[in-house]
């Protein structure tokens, strides 16, 4: 019963949304004491929103509307960065370990809910081969 309670608390604490910096992706799951084959997928989303209100003054010199008119235009800008990481940790023999990681990115720029720019594609492949010495 104690194992079930600790497992439930662990699952609930790790299933929450976590805010972290971009440098947290440096960790590549290399643990010297972990001697089991494993794989995983990491998914990160970063979103930035910005609202711009620009005012312009139009001078009107017509007969019935003499004076200045202020026109306001609102622009909503949004940048969306999505990253997918696929990694695998495989032991060929008890002392030989292969670690591979590849990332895919999908970066988008929206203005007034219209997609203006989109850059997406795979990133660099990281391949590490280690000879473990006990």
């Amino acid at each position: 019963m104690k194992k079930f309670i600790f497992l439930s608390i662990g699952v609930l604490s790790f299933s929450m949304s976590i805010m972290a910096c971009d440098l947290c992706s440096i960790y590549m799951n290399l643990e010297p004491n972990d001697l089991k084959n494993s794989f995983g997928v990491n998914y990160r989303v970063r979103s930035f929103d910005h609202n711009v209100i620009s005012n312009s003054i139009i001078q009107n010199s017509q007969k019935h509307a003499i004076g200045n008119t202020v026109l306001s235009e609102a622009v909503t800008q949004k940048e969306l960065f999505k990253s997918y990481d696929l990694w695998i940790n495989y032991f060929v023999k008890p002392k030989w370990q292969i670690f591979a990681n590849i990332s895919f990115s999908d970066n988008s720029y929206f203005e007034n809910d219209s997609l203006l720019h989109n850059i997406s594609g795979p990133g660099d492949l990281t391949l590490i081969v280690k000879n473990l010495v006990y």
Side-chain angles (χ1 to χ4, degrees):
M1 186 66 180
K2 289 181 183 180
K3 289 182 184 180
F4 178 73
I5 292 172
F6 286 123
L7 182 63
S8 299
I9 291 171
V11 168
L12 289 176
S13 64
F14 288 114
S15 64
M16 296 179 208
S17 178
I18 297 175
M19 302 299 222
C21 64
D22 291 338
L23 296 176
C24 297
S25 63
I26 291 174
Y27 175 70
M28 296 186 349
N29 203 26
L30 295 176
E31 298 178 13
N33 297 326
D34 186 8
L35 299 176
K36 297 180 181 177
N37 298 331
S38 57
F39 69 95
V41 177
N42 297 331
Y43 173 67
R44 291 185 306 274
V45 176
R46 293 178 299 275
S47 177
F48 302 99
D49 297 326
H50 183 65
N51 295 323
V52 178
I53 299 174
S54 62
N55 296 325
S56 59
I57 299 174
I58 298 175
Q59 293 182 356
N60 195 352
S61 61
Q62 293 181 355
K63 183 178 176 180
H64 296 290
I66 297 175
N68 295 334
T69 303
V70 178
L71 296 177
S72 295
E73 182 181 0
V75 177
T76 302
Q77 299 170 340
K78 181 177 182 179
E79 292 178 291
L80 187 62
F81 302 99
K82 296 179 185 178
S83 299
Y84 310 89
D85 293 331
L86 176 65
W87 59 269
I88 185 167
N89 190 15
Y90 182 71
F91 288 87
V92 181
K93 292 184 177 181
K95 289 191 175 187
W96 286 96
Q97 175 186 9
I98 296 176
F99 177 79
N101 182 15
I102 189 164
S103 62
F104 300 93
S105 296
D106 184 17
N107 302 332
S108 303
Y109 174 73
F110 298 91
E111 195 168 286
N112 289 337
D113 294 331
S114 297
L115 178 64
L116 294 182
H117 303 287
N118 186 12
I119 299 173
S120 60
D124 294 334
L125 173 68
T126 303
L127 184 64
I128 299 173
V129 179
K130 289 176 38 177
N131 182 11
L132 304 175
V133 180
Y134 300 116

